[in-house]
Amino acid sequence: MKGDWTVASKMLTCEPVILKRSITWTGETGLHLAAASGHTSFVKNWLGHNEIGVDDVAHPNDNKVTALAFAAATGTKMVAYEILSHKKSKHCKPVRFDALYMATLQGHTAVAHYLYLESDFQSWSPQTQITIINSCINSGMCDLALLMFQQCHQLALEKDENGERPLDVLARKPSAFANASERPFWRRATKCLFPWMKETKNETKGHILFKLMWKYVLENEILVSKIIIYGSNLLFNAAYVGNFEFLVELLNSCPELIYKVNQDMDTIFHIAICNRDKDTFNLIHEIGAFKDLITSYREETGKRNNILHKAALLPTKNRLKPKWGAALQMQHELLWFKAVETVVSPLFKDMTNADGLTPHELFLEEHEELMKKGEQEIRDIAKSCGIVAIVVFMAIFIVLGDSIAITGTPNLINRKFFKILLVSEAIAMVLSSASVLLFLSILVSSYAEEDVFKSLLVKLLMGMIMLFAAIIATMTAFYSASPLAYHPGLAWILILCATFSIVPIIFIPLTSQLLIVVVHSTWQAFFMFKSHNRLFNHVDLKKTT
């Protein structure tokens, strides 16, 4: 296990039979253990021993796993290369299924590509091939899955032992399309503020794999009904995990799937609302008047909730964003409720469910605890910031030097730093006073849900920005006052003060994180629910109905 060939060679000289003997309870030889440990030079020396034969290289353990499979499982490409390229391995069969499967299962991309090129993939059974290609997709190796599919197109319709086709796995793999769907914050903001600007789309291997496989399904599936059923399953599988790019590609190829519902009478938009998937929900703005039909669907059994009731429900904990805090989370929930409210008919706003609750009443009931936490959170932040603002206000009144007796003009009036001091103090006083007033207005607010959405967080944001600016102005005043108070005998005191004054700067990144989160959440509200024109650019939706 340590890869010490010097010690091992002495043992093999005394007992060469160890080369072929199993040394573990599960039948592993020394070659198995060396391959599993990733000791390339040890494996090379072991294979070069005179007692090693061709059968010993491919000898499996009791579980039918070879040394090559161990190397594949650990992701050691050089060990796999030594095993396959050694002269005693050249007469062995090509790479077996277990080695390639281990590499794909563990996500070792380089090893998997190498073993695939060394294998006779086309000669394997369809069941074996589909297991490998599904494992590739699961591990994020869509480029390797694409190579396999290009050799065996019929794999698009094959099922593995779990009854899954490659497209089923791809539908539940949003990361296969991640490079195209994940955009920086500033790019999303720019696109929403300037919608006429064209945006380049990065097509991933996942996109290409989907298009080729779905095209094969459409061309080779005889019954249209089977295509619709299969497409519906893919649609909802992708919707449940938020695979937006997959949904866009699927709907652009089969627009009629937009109307499909599951057993609960939920469309992909109902599911997107429950999962707080804004990208999928925003597609509703691209289907024109057909959204009136889709938003009219409601549960036929159980609670009989309509689409606005769905928005009123509190999402599961894994969909919440705890790092935001209760106040920002409440703002996020209100944004969702208002966004759904704008796309439904006025009739649905007052419609009651099986419990006799309207959507608004259900929202208040579901979010009662969150609202209380948000109220307390805002109060605590406002109190803390208010105290800091008062301290800043008190700290800015610094009087330095004397004045001329006759004119009353300060002695330091002609000093450059004195002017900077006066301006900094004035800015700090105005900003700290304004921030105190804003925090006081927050403390006396009614804390209704509309206040949280419209004004409280905006006031909190403005107050925090002013407070940070006032602190910076106060520090500037301190730095400018130091040279004015300079005296040759007090130089060490000035140096000491200047050194300790750096401490607040160190803590700025820690304290500014809250400000950044509030800015991001508040600014996001302006462009969160916008159409991005991703659907039906070349399709007439009316012709599909």
Side-chain angles (χ1 to χ4, degrees):
M1 297 294 287
K2 294 182 179 180
D4 191 342
W5 178 250
T6 304
V7 176
S9 61
K10 293 179 181 179
M11 295 176 61
L12 293 175
T13 302
C14 299
E15 295 186 55
V17 70
I18 297 177
L19 287 165
K20 303 183 180 183
R21 181 185 298 170
S22 298
I23 58 177
T24 66
W25 291 103
T26 53
E28 282 85 14
T29 64
L31 183 60
H32 286 89
L33 298 181
S37 302
H39 299 305
T40 305
S41 59
F42 192 97
V43 170
K44 185 176 182 179
N45 291 327
W46 187 283
L47 293 173
H49 200 280
N50 294 329
E51 296 294 328
I52 288 291
V54 174
D55 294 335
D56 298 322
V57 177
H59 180 71
N61 64 3
D62 295 344
N63 296 320
K64 308 299 182 184
V65 181
T66 63
L68 182 61
F70 274 94
T74 56
T76 314
K77 182 180 177 181
M78 290 307 299
V79 172
Y81 174 79
E82 289 294 339
I83 294 174
L84 289 177
S85 63
H86 199 272
K87 62 181 181 179
K88 294 177 182 178
S89 303
K90 292 182 178 179
H91 299 290
C92 296
K93 296 180 180 179
V95 172
R96 297 189 344 168
F97 159 78
D98 62 342
L100 183 54
Y101 180 67
M102 284 290 188
T104 58
L105 189 66
Q106 298 298 327
H108 300 307
T109 306
V111 179
H113 276 81
Y114 173 66
L115 294 179
Y116 169 71
L117 296 175
E118 295 293 330
S119 69
D120 191 8
F121 183 78
Q122 287 181 299
S123 65
W124 293 352
S125 67
Q127 186 68 28
T128 302
Q129 291 173 336
I130 200 63
T131 301
I132 292 291
I133 197 171
N134 283 356
S135 179
C136 287
I137 298 173
N138 262 324
S139 299
M141 303 181 195
C142 287
D143 51 347
L144 183 56
L146 184 60
L147 290 175
M148 296 176 180
F149 174 73
Q150 288 172 340
Q151 280 193 340
C152 308
H153 288 81
Q154 71 277 7
L155 292 178
L157 294 173
E158 293 290 340
K159 295 181 180 179
D160 62 11
E161 58 184 7
N162 297 320
E164 291 187 328
R165 294 173 176 173
L167 285 173
D168 295 319
V169 181
L170 198 59
R172 298 195 309 272
K173 197 70 178 176
S175 58
F177 308 88
N179 291 337
S181 59
E182 294 181 359
R183 296 174 298 164
F185 173 78
W186 67 270
R187 286 187 61 185
R188 297 198 304 270
T190 304
K191 178 63 178 176
C192 292
L193 291 175
F194 309 102
W196 60 86
M197 294 179 61
K198 291 186 178 181
E199 187 176 13
T200 57
K201 177 184 174 182
N202 299 322
E203 194 171 65
T204 65
K205 296 295 184 181
H207 286 90
I208 301 172
L209 184 61
F210 167 80
K211 289 178 179 178
L212 293 177
M213 285 190 170
W214 185 244
K215 180 181 179 182
Y216 184 85
V217 171
L218 295 177
E219 292 175 350
N220 292 272
E221 187 62 73
I222 300 175
L223 298 178
V224 177
S225 59
K226 287 188 176 182
I227 295 177
I228 298 300
I229 294 173
Y230 182 42
S232 299
N233 293 334
L234 294 175
L235 185 78
F236 289 110
N237 286 339
Y240 284 127
V241 298
N243 196 345
F244 172 69
E245 291 292 331
F246 186 96
L247 286 172
V248 169
E249 296 292 346
L250 184 61
L251 291 173
N252 277 328
S253 60
C254 288
E256 59 270 23
L257 293 176
I258 198 77
Y259 307 104
K260 292 300 174 181
V261 296
N262 61 9
Q263 64 274 13
D264 297 323
M265 289 297 292
D266 288 340
T267 65
I268 59 171
F269 301 109
H270 293 72
I271 296 171
I273 291 169
C274 292
N275 293 338
R276 300 300 190 257
D277 181 4
K278 67 180 185 301
D279 291 326
T280 302
F281 174 75
N282 285 337
L283 295 177
I284 202 169
H285 300 295
E286 304 180 27
I287 60 177
F290 293 95
K291 70 180 179 183
D292 296 331
L293 173 64
I294 291 175
T295 55
S296 66
Y297 295 159
R298 64 182 298 186
E299 297 174 356
E300 295 182 347
T301 57
K303 296 291 186 179
R304 293 187 58 78
N305 290 327
N306 62 28
I307 194 170
L308 194 53
H309 283 103
K310 299 275 187 181
L313 294 172
L314 193 67
T316 56
K317 289 184 178 180
N318 64 317
R319 299 291 177 180
L320 294 173
K321 301 180 189 294
K323 68 176 182 179
W324 283 15
L328 295 178
Q329 186 63 57
M330 187 63 198
Q331 182 200 38
H332 188 255
E333 289 295 293
L334 279 162
L335 281 172
W336 266 100
F337 189 77
K338 296 294 182 182
V340 178
E341 199 173 38
T342 59
V343 300
V344 301
S345 170
L347 174 66
F348 293 95
K349 298 179 183 179
D350 299 320
M351 184 180 293
T352 58
N353 61 7
D355 295 329
L357 297 174
T358 63
H360 187 260
E361 292 170 342
L362 181 61
F363 181 87
L364 294 178
E365 182 181 286
E366 287 279 318
H367 295 79
E368 182 179 3
E369 183 178 353
L370 187 64
M371 284 190 64
K372 289 181 180 179
K373 289 182 179 179
E375 175 184 345
Q376 188 60 44
E377 188 177 274
I378 292 177
R379 284 184 183 275
D380 292 342
I381 295 174
K383 287 179 182 178
S384 302
C385 292
I387 293 173
V388 175
I390 293 173
V391 172
V392 171
F393 182 83
M394 296 173 63
I396 60 177
F397 293 101
I398 303 174
V399 179
L400 291 173
D402 201 351
S403 59
I404 301 174
I406 300 175
T407 62
T409 305
N411 290 324
L412 303 175
I413 189 65
N414 295 321
R415 298 284 295 274
K416 179 174 64 175
F417 286 105
F418 187 74
K419 296 177 182 179
I420 297 175
L421 172 65
L422 293 178
V423 174
S424 301
E425 286 185 344
I427 293 173
M429 183 186 69
V430 172
L431 293 178
S432 60
S433 302
S435 63
V436 168
L437 293 176
L438 280 172
F439 294 134
L440 286 175
S441 68
I442 291 174
L443 292 174
V444 299
S445 297
S446 62
Y447 289 91
E449 70 272 13
E450 292 296 328
D451 288 336
V452 176
F453 174 61
K454 290 183 178 179
S455 62
L456 288 185
L457 284 173
V458 175
K459 289 180 181 178
L460 182 63
L461 173 61
M462 295 301 297
M464 292 178 68
I465 291 175
M466 290 181 180
L467 178 57
F468 269 81
I471 292 174
I472 293 173
T474 303
M475 293 177 65
T476 304
F478 176 80
Y479 290 137
S480 60
S482 297
L484 298 176
Y486 175 74
H487 187 275
L490 301 176
W492 67 273
I493 297 179
L494 292 178
I495 295 173
L496 186 64
C497 292
T499 302
F500 280 102
S501 65
I502 299 175
V503 174
I505 300 175
I506 299 175
F507 289 97
I508 286 178
L510 299 177
T511 56
S512 62
Q513 186 174 2
L514 175 62
L515 178 62
I516 294 171
V517 171
V518 174
V519 170
H520 180 272
S521 177
T522 305
W523 175 248
Q524 182 180 244
F526 294 102
F527 61 88
M528 185 173 174
F529 298 101
K530 300 289 184 179
S531 171
H532 298 293
N533 300 319
R534 296 295 304 276
L535 284 184
F536 316 129
N537 293 326
H538 305 290
V539 179
D540 187 355
L541 190 60
K542 295 181 180 180
K543 293 181 180 180
T544 65
T545 59

